[in-house]
Amino acid sequence: MDRLVGADEGARSADRVDEAARAEGLARDITAIKIGDCLLGYKAVQRRMRGGRWNHFRGRMREIEKLIRHRHGEIVPEADDGLIYVEVIAGLAFVEFGEGFVEVIAGLAFVEFGEGFVEVVLSWAARWLPWAQKAVIEEIIYERTRVRFSPLTADALGHALHLSYAERSALDIRTIGAFDVPKAKRAKLQKEKRRQRERTRKEEQRRAAGAVSRAEYLDNSLSAARPWEAFGISRRTWERRGKPMPEPMPDGAPISLAA
């Protein structure tokens, strides 16, 4: 998106444009437009950012919205525990682009919030909790988040949202932990899943190349050798007796049949 603005207006609106661009996951490149030494204005080019902390926040926010849709539908039902979603979003938004600072007065920590952070939380709450009063949302922003200005871990989010490992797996949620399975155990389970997928992939490749499974090979081999006939019994009886194999006999020696 290209646009040309006057020099004075471009300078005054630079911060506002940057803030709006961050909210949309965009980066902004500014090029001065000049004729000789005369500055005509600035050309602002916005492009989609790759990576960055804001994208991580948006990813977690989208997964929380996926969880809400799975649990409740298009809006969170009116209930006190529904406000936990706002509290989590407020904590994430503040850490990611709150642009605030912490001031310690008389041993107590007070947080000053950036304007962009407040607007993001209020807008998000209006979409997903339209029944919640603005004063209640502001209380969460200014009071509950006041003591939570450090980043939240994946497991802390999982406990806050009461997200189980089964629900997490079913929804393919990756940036939020689970309250019932710690991170170390989740890593082991994920490693085993990768191993199983690799075994399945290799098995499919062998089948495509014409190979047969070991079970099929053994079954076909037994069907040809028919070792139960050496004992004078049926295959079913032979399998019940533990699949004994006849001992090899010297050339010309008769085979001893077991009852």
Side-chain angles (χ1 to χ4, degrees), residues 161-221:
L161 298 169
H162 201 68
L163 178 64
S164 67
Y165 182 75
E167 194 175 28
R168 182 181 189 270
S169 301
L171 298 177
D172 193 27
I173 292 178
R174 303 183 181 184
T175 65
I176 303 173
F179 77 90
D180 54 347
V181 179
K183 182 177 180 180
K185 187 174 181 179
R186 291 199 306 272
K188 291 182 180 179
L189 293 173
Q190 187 64 27
K191 186 176 182 179
E192 180 57 33
K193 287 181 179 179
R194 286 196 296 267
R195 288 178 176 173
Q196 183 59 43
R197 287 196 298 267
E198 184 65 15
R199 286 194 292 265
T200 301
R201 184 184 65 83
K202 290 183 177 179
E203 179 65 20
E204 291 175 350
Q205 289 178 344
R206 288 193 294 268
R207 291 296 184 90
V212 297
S213 66
R214 179 171 177 80
E216 291 175 342
Y217 170 79
L218 292 176
D219 188 64
N220 293 333
S221 178

